[in-house]
Amino acid sequence: MRQLASPQVAMDFFEHIREDINTVFERDPAARSRLEVFLCYPGLWAVWYHRLSHALWTLKLTLLARIVSQIARFFTGVDIHPAALLGRRLFIDHATGVVIGETAIVGSDVTIYQGVTLGGTGKGQGKRHPTVCDGVFIGNNANVLGDITVGQNSRVGAGSVVLSDVPPNSTVVGVPAHIVYRGGQRVLITDPHDIKDPLSDALIALAARVEELEKYSIGLNQRKLHTEPFAAEEAERSAYREELDRLRDYVSMGEGI
Ligand SMILES: CC(C)(COP(=O)(O)OP(=O)(O)OC[C@H]1O[C@@H](n2cnc3c(N)ncnc32)[C@H](O)[C@@H]1OP(=O)(O)O)[C@@H](O)C(=O)NCCC(=O)NCCS
């Protein structure tokens, strides 16, 4: 039985490696050949190291698994906890600085750039890292924090900090991240209540005050129009009279010369 299983395992192993290399070749326009991908993509090596460390982790060889993941970190700059669950065809581009926490789950066909953290918020135990669904793209130096879900085929902008669930087929950007595209449609924030930011309360108060002042100013203008219907014309006429008087003085001075 074991003899029968071995060739299959070996085939799966090489099949996965071929699939990983093809994935990078298809997604990175800078890749010139499959040999180059095999030799020069530390993000790929990180995924392969993780397969080994994860296998050791599931065999309860936890210390050995951690050692392998630290060796991987040394050589690739990618720190993936051995318990993290990674799907197929994960592409970690540029590798350096990527951190994937213990309870993170990453689906298939996910692309992650350098500096991305799939981390915890520092609060709580148990499932405390994100779930990233299939086809997600995460731009460089983005932080996705806590037990949240990034929905299928969504995109996280470079440098964003994602603190809440992202619906499928959406694009989120900013700190903290907010949705700018959903289902291909641009999402514009017009209500300050929709801004999730430490300054939100101040913005909401400011918007309310501006609205109040606008109403007050409209009321004032209407009252003035009502009580003095010809005020504007009268002001124009008196300005004209003053100008005429000034010119008359000037002309009378000229007559004496
Ligand atoms: C998020 C991203 C995928 C969106 O791309 P897109 O669909 O072309 O989006 P747009 O350029 O139309 O941007 C939509 C809005 O979000 C803003 N925005 C886009 N990316 C942003 C980011 N990373 N941070 C903050 N705001 C961002 C834009 O300024 C624009 O706002 P505006 O319309 O008010 O000016 C892209 O901007 C991004 O961040 N890609 C990551 C690239 C990366 O990591 N490269 C690493 C190479 S080594």
Side-chain angles (χ1 to χ4, degrees):
M1 189 69 186
R2 196 172 170 78
Q3 272 177 337
L4 275 176
S6 297
Q8 183 59 46
V9 170
M11 216 179 84
D12 284 353
F13 178 78
F14 288 112
E15 192 49 46
H16 276 126
I17 287 186
R18 202 192 348 247
E19 185 180 67
D20 293 334
I21 292 172
N22 284 340
T23 298
V24 176
F25 197 63
E26 281 157 20
R27 280 189 232 166
D28 187 2
R32 295 279 188 281
S33 70
R34 285 175 174 75
L35 182 65
E36 180 192 318
V37 171
F38 181 75
L39 295 173
C40 307
Y41 279 73
L44 205 52
W45 308 338
V47 171
W48 293 337
Y49 272 114
H50 178 264
R51 285 205 190 119
L52 175 61
S53 71
H54 186 67
L56 294 168
W57 187 268
T58 47
L59 290 170
K60 306 265 184 278
L61 299 168
T62 51
L63 180 60
L64 199 55
R66 288 306 301 267
I67 291 169
V68 170
S69 79
Q70 288 313 296
I71 293 171
R73 179 171 172 249
F74 180 80
F75 284 111
T76 66
V78 177
D79 188 351
I80 309 177
H81 193 284
L85 297 174
L86 306 186
R88 289 172 68 174
R89 298 176 294 279
L90 168 63
F91 176 30
I92 304 176
D93 202 2
H94 303 292
T96 307
V98 169
V99 176
I100 301 180
E102 182 185 359
T103 60
I105 301 173
V106 178
S108 297
D109 302 302
V110 169
T111 303
I112 292 178
Y113 275 94
Q114 73 274 14
V116 165
T117 298
L118 305 182
T121 53
K123 301 175 270 187
Q125 305 283 314
K127 175 85 170 84
R128 59 193 184 285
H129 299 102
T131 298
V132 175
C133 297
D134 295 349
V136 167
F137 168 99
I138 307 181
N140 64 289
N141 294 311
N143 293 298
V144 185
L145 305 177
D147 181 18
I148 58 173
T149 300
V150 182
Q152 220 172 348
N153 299 321
S154 283
R155 298 183 303 165
V156 176
S160 304
V161 177
V162 187
L163 299 170
S164 51
D165 288 345
V166 176
N169 306 307
S170 307
T171 301
V172 293
V173 299
V175 181
H178 58 268
I179 300 175
V180 287
Y181 286 101
R182 192 170 184 168
Q185 298 296 312
R186 183 78 164 91
V187 176
L188 289 174
I189 294 180
T190 48
D191 183 346
H193 288 88
D194 292 340
I195 304 170
K196 296 180 191 70
D197 186 275
L199 291 175
S200 298
D201 288 345
L203 286 171
I204 291 165
L206 203 61
R209 186 78 182 124
V210 167
E211 202 177 324
E212 201 178 295
L213 286 171
E214 263 176 1
K215 277 184 194 155
Y216 180 69
S217 131
I218 289 168
L220 264 186
N221 281 342
Q222 278 173 348
R223 210 173 320 145
K224 201 169 175 188
L225 270 178
H226 187 67
T227 52
E228 301 166 38
F230 302 111
E233 289 85 342
E234 184 52 42
E236 205 174 315
R237 265 200 297 272
S238 51
Y240 181 63
R241 266 187 234 114
E242 275 168 29
E243 183 66 6
L244 269 183
D245 287 346
R246 201 177 58 77
L247 283 174
R248 199 172 296 129
D249 286 351
Y250 178 76
V251 171
S252 65
M253 276 169 70
E255 280 167 357
I257 295 169

